[in-house]
Amino acid sequence: MNNSVQHTSIVKVGDTIDEEDDLLAVEEPLEIRLGYGPVSARCQQSISVTMRTPGHDFELALGFLFAEGIIRNYEEVVSIKYCQNTDTTDAKENIVRVELLPNIPVDMQKLQRNFYSTSSCGVCGKASIEALDTHCLPLPMDNFCIDAEVIHQAPAKLRKAQLVFTYTGGLHAAGLFDRQGKLLLWREDVGRHNALDKLLGASLAADNIPLSQSFLLLSGRVSFELVQKALMGGISLIAAVGAPSSLAVQLAQEYDITLLGFVRDQRFNIYSGSHRVALQEKLQVQF
């Protein structure tokens, strides 16, 4: 956690005015570089710069490449490491290079985006919204179903696991739960998209994708891109503490993803895929 938080001095104004020490969530840029092509003609391309919280950087890079459809599995990666040919020590841990196998095709133009993103940009940098789901496959038919009480209990479990958030209050989280509500894996980051990329990267490296037997909990709102990333990971149920956007709901409905919003205070809204949520009272309207 040391590189994820930073000390600062603040003036705390309340009933009294006091000078205190405080902790901040660190935000630094991470550049992802890709090495690809035949052995005799290797290419290097900088494909993304994102503002992130340091930690799990390799997972972030892997998750980003996977969610963008550049890699399909971990076996396509030869190596992943920090770049050493930089001028300063700090920069060495802010640039990650991922080397792909020589036979992995990479068509930069086909990806249709400029590969510059920020931690809160949503779908900015995309050539078009339609291009986002061109490499998404429909989810397989499943009998995945979660009891409503399991969903109600999930936010508190994820919040308890958020160590950096406990000290700073400034990070988003993405967590994977099983059917019984056990928290299997979680990641934190100043960016909602980065937290999910880290989660997908860790799952990819552990050969756990598709994540068809887990549900995803997000600590904030749900954007189109977060649903797209979850879809790439084979996740059929997404729950979020915040609200979904209209495009997030549209994509969830198109791919039969169960999407829940405002999961807090023993309540939630079902925006699509109600058949995966076991409720005590039978729903009158089915999505």
Side-chain angles (χ1 to χ4, degrees):
M1 190 184 69
N2 293 337
N3 61 345
S4 300
V5 297
Q6 179 178 308
H7 288 270
T8 190
S9 296
I10 63 171
V11 176
K12 195 167 187 176
V13 179
D15 295 333
T16 60
I17 300 176
D18 303 293
E19 185 172 345
E20 297 182 3
D21 291 329
D22 198 14
L23 292 173
L24 302 174
V26 174
E27 183 177 28
E28 292 181 356
L30 179 71
E31 179 183 351
I32 300 173
R33 296 179 183 177
L34 193 64
Y36 63 97
V39 176
S40 59
R42 294 292 284 178
C43 298
Q44 176 177 284
Q45 178 73 43
S46 178
I47 61 172
S48 177
V49 177
T50 184
M51 300 304 297
R52 100 304 189 189
T53 301
H56 304 291
D57 291 336
F58 293 174
E59 294 176 355
L60 172 55
L62 287 173
F64 176 83
L65 295 175
F66 174 75
E68 292 297 330
I70 299 173
I71 60 174
R72 294 168 296 177
N73 54 65
Y74 190 48
E75 284 68 33
E76 296 179 346
V77 176
V78 175
S79 66
I80 179 168
K81 59 186 178 182
Y82 291 109
C83 289
Q84 300 299 316
N85 56 342
T86 55
D87 296 332
T88 65
T89 301
D90 291 340
K92 289 181 180 180
E93 295 189 354
N94 284 334
I95 303 174
V96 167
R97 176 162 173 163
V98 182
E99 293 286 344
L100 302 184
L101 289 171
N103 63 336
I104 302 302
V106 177
D107 188 342
M108 291 298 173
Q109 292 183 343
K110 187 177 179 180
L111 294 174
Q112 297 186 36
R113 66 173 294 175
N114 62 15
F115 290 112
Y116 181 84
S117 60
T118 67
S119 59
S120 59
C121 71
V123 297
C124 73
K126 305 287 184 177
S128 66
I129 291 177
E130 290 77 12
L132 279 173
D133 64 346
T134 56
H135 48 261
C136 292
L137 297 176
L139 293 171
M141 296 295 294
D142 62 50
N143 60 353
F144 192 70
C145 187
I146 300 297
D147 189 271
E149 188 57 35
V150 170
I151 296 169
H152 288 317
Q153 295 175 3
K157 293 179 180 179
L158 181 59
R159 171 66 179 80
K160 185 177 181 180
Q162 286 186 257
L163 183 60
V164 179
F165 181 89
T166 300
Y167 288 101
T168 66
L171 292 186
H172 291 285
L176 280 177
F177 293 79
D178 65 14
R179 293 173 188 254
Q180 289 72 41
K182 180 182 179 181
L183 180 57
L184 304 173
L185 181 68
W186 68 95
R187 290 292 182 266
E188 292 182 280
D189 198 275
V190 70
R192 293 174 297 123
H193 305 88
N194 295 338
L196 183 50
D197 278 341
K198 289 178 177 180
L199 194 74
L200 291 174
S203 300
L204 188 73
D207 196 26
N208 288 334
I209 289 179
L211 299 164
S212 56
Q213 297 303 307
S214 305
F215 75 91
L216 173 68
L217 177 65
L218 302 172
S219 64
R221 61 184 179 87
V222 190
S223 66
F224 179 95
E225 192 169 14
L226 289 173
V227 176
Q228 184 257 340
K229 288 176 183 293
L231 177 60
M232 289 294 291
I235 297 170
S236 61
L237 193 155
I238 304 170
V241 174
S245 70
S246 61
L247 284 177
V249 173
Q250 180 180 325
L251 184 63
Q253 291 174 345
E254 179 180 351
Y255 283 88
D256 189 31
I257 294 173
T258 299
L259 181 58
L260 314 179
F262 297 104
V263 182
R264 54 179 183 257
D265 302 325
Q266 290 296 113
R267 63 182 179 87
F268 55 80
N269 296 340
I270 304 177
Y271 293 89
S272 66
S274 61
H275 57 282
R276 294 193 182 91
V277 183
L279 301 171
Q280 291 183 352
E281 297 182 7
K282 186 176 180 180
L283 288 175
Q284 298 300 314
V285 178
Q286 298 291 331
F287 295 100

